[in-house]
Amino acid sequence: MKTDILEQSFSTYFNAKPEFIVRAPGRVNLIGEHTDYNDGFVLPMAIDRAVWMALTPRTDLTVRIRSLDLEVDSAFDLHSLTKGEGWIEYIKGVAFELQKDGYDLRGFNAVMTGDVPRGAGLSSSAAVELATARAFASASGFDWDAAHMARVSQKAENQWVGVNCGIMDQMASAATREGYALFLDCRTLEYQHAPLPENTAVVILDTSTRRGLVDSAYNERRSQCEEAARWFGAKALRDVSVDDLKKGSGLSEVVMKRARHIVTENARVLEAVQMMKADNVKRLGDLFNASHASLRDDFEVTNEALNQIVECAQEQSSCYGARMTGAGFGGCAVALVKEKDAREFTDAVAVAYKRKSGLDASVYVCKASAGAGVIERP
Ligand code: GLA
């Protein structure tokens, strides 16, 4: 158990029992890709892989953290935050934004560990940010407001770390409920917990390719979307309908393709939520497949490995649908699979993908877990 490891390590490093153990999950996005920064709709699910911190508040303003995975210590003073490099920047960034927002923070001692694979498109950074926010809430004694903490964490990532992400990952890590996906309106941050289909497994297919330096491609997509919205005279592509697209013939071909992905993807998310409520997993799977095709052909954010692994999944008779998930350019895909055949599916896809690409995939069933929280201990 993670909590045992954390308690033991905490006493090794700090010679005491931790007062709190907090946890924040990674996420897999079921559908609604690149729609978040277009004020659109997304449907992520928190996964059963997370970042954990065991901590005890201090009486001063020092934050001292031992990363068990990287085997390094780091410390900083809440009154004199300066930018540096590495994993600790996510933590400093959240501390900075919380203080900017008026929170009166206390320092703490912590040990931290996690099992969200990094760079795989499963939001390991959002998990670190939300675990940090949760740790400060416990140490400093303020109430947990999931949507607000997601916003603060997103600001930390945008402004302190310098990655221009949308709000989906932080909301998924902050606000999800065990057993449900999160249907989120990224304009208003209103959300509903959407039930997962019965007898269906959500399978993560990690291509083992990593996205590397894709910030520029991500930012380019963002500006193309903004250009398209301006062209349609809309605040964001969220406000453009599938019918409006017909009027877009004056747009450059590439910008039109980007717009078509976003507009049709938003429509797919809305339909997907209906299909989940109706327990129509077959149609939900078709929407997954259509989303992948749109990301591959119109938004152009897949790589060969993602296309190959998605094909390997779609070829299995137990698979309802599959698509890339997250920012793209590498990382993971997600598939909806008949639960009773999930084991056979994971084995078959791993073999087929190895044959096709020469690469080793990790393919595993994941469970919809709860958002950031404090772990109750006896
Ligand atoms: C990354 C970003 C998210 C979102 C996805 C694409 O995960 O962090 O905000 O834009 O890409 O859907």
Side-chain angles (χ1 to χ4, degrees):
M1 273 300 285
K2 287 284 178 204
T3 47
D4 296 342
I5 297 167
L6 283 162
E7 295 211 7
Q8 270 167 25
S9 315
F10 192 91
S11 42
T12 310
Y13 287 100
F14 300 110
N15 217 358
K17 254 179 90 78
E19 250 177 66
F20 304 100
I21 297 187
V22 298
R23 169 193 172 276
R27 65 100 188 93
V28 63
N29 188 20
L30 297 181
I31 196 162
E33 219 62 83
H34 290 270
T35 44
D36 63 349
Y37 55 82
N38 288 290
D39 275 4
F41 303 103
V42 292
L43 190 60
M45 173 186 119
I47 57 175
D48 44 356
R49 298 204 171 202
V51 167
W52 286 262
M53 268 190 213
L55 67 136
T56 292
R58 293 171 59 110
T59 47
D60 63 9
L61 294 170
T62 300
V63 173
R64 183 170 293 280
I65 304 189
R66 168 83 185 169
S67 161
L68 301 180
D69 308 323
L70 302 174
E71 299 182 340
V72 286
D73 299 311
S74 203
F76 57 87
D77 187 310
L78 287 165
H79 265 185
S80 52
L81 287 169
T82 48
K83 286 194 191 177
E85 277 183 4
W87 61 282
I88 196 71
E89 297 310 305
Y90 292 92
I91 294 167
K92 283 199 260 175
V94 171
F96 178 80
E97 289 297 337
L98 281 170
Q99 294 190 112
K100 211 170 93 190
D101 210 41
Y103 288 93
D104 191 13
L105 300 186
R106 273 177 79 176
F108 58 79
N109 289 334
V111 295
M112 173 175 138
T113 184
D115 59 5
V116 188
R118 265 169 286 156
L122 300 175
S123 295
S124 57
S125 47
V128 172
E129 290 153 11
L130 269 303
T132 305
R134 202 68 198 72
F136 276 118
S138 295
S140 315
F142 60 82
D143 288 341
W144 182 251
D145 173 341
H148 192 63
M149 289 302 118
R151 273 275 187 243
V152 165
S153 299
Q154 183 202 12
K155 268 195 202 145
E157 182 142 354
N158 291 166
Q159 284 162 31
W160 190 276
V161 182
V163 175
N164 206 10
C165 61
I167 189 67
M168 168 170 71
D169 307 343
Q170 288 75 13
M171 277 299 285
S173 185
T176 33
R177 180 188 288 174
E178 190 176 349
Y180 291 81
L182 189 82
F183 169 43
L184 172 68
D185 179 335
C186 297
R187 172 169 280 167
T188 62
L189 293 199
E190 283 170 44
Y191 58 85
Q192 285 171 24
H193 300 288
L196 291 163
E198 300 268 328
N199 307 319
T200 308
V202 175
V203 179
I204 290 178
L205 314 142
D206 189 337
T207 60
S208 78
T209 61
R210 292 294 176 255
R211 60 188 142 104
L213 295 171
V214 295
D215 276 5
S216 57
Y218 187 85
N219 290 337
E220 185 189 48
R221 296 301 181 285
R222 284 188 77 132
S223 40
Q224 289 165 334
C225 291
E226 283 158 19
E227 186 187 333
R230 271 197 305 277
W231 195 93
F232 283 103
K235 185 161 174 259
L237 282 179
R238 142 69 172 279
D239 304 305
V240 175
S241 70
V242 177
D243 266 356
D244 291 338
L245 282 177
K246 293 181 195 128
K247 301 176 216 145
S249 52
L251 270 172
S252 80
E253 196 193 329
V254 70
V255 174
M256 181 61 199
K257 279 178 16 172
R258 305 300 187 244
R260 190 163 60 212
H261 166 71
I262 300 300
V263 172
T264 58
E265 184 79 349
N266 273 326
R268 281 187 287 272
V269 177
L270 297 178
E271 192 183 345
V273 175
Q274 294 313 317
M275 293 306 107
M276 280 172 57
K277 287 184 180 152
D279 205 26
N280 185 344
V281 64
K282 194 170 172 309
R283 176 68 192 148
L284 188 59
D286 294 343
L287 293 167
F288 270 44
N289 293 339
S291 170
H292 185 79
S294 176
L295 287 156
R296 182 191 59 211
D297 303 335
D298 279 348
F299 217 61
E300 297 178 286
V301 289
T302 64
N303 67 354
E304 204 189 346
L306 282 166
N307 295 333
Q308 288 172 329
I309 212 160
V310 164
E311 281 160 25
C312 293
Q314 289 168 342
E315 278 160 12
Q316 310 300 320
S317 59
S318 55
C319 180
Y320 295 108
R323 54 180 291 279
M324 60 147 270
T325 186
F329 307 101
C332 293
V334 59
L336 285 180
V337 177
K338 279 189 190 129
E339 197 165 38
K340 66 176 180 45
D341 299 328
R343 188 59 210 273
E344 213 176 289
F345 171 86
T346 56
D347 293 349
V349 171
V351 171
Y353 177 69
K354 174 86 184 181
R355 201 178 304 129
K356 210 172 226 179
S357 67
L359 298 170
D360 290 309
S362 42
V363 186
Y364 47 89
V365 174
C366 70
K367 293 264 170 285
S369 84
V374 181
I375 307 229
E376 302 291 339
R377 286 176 299 157

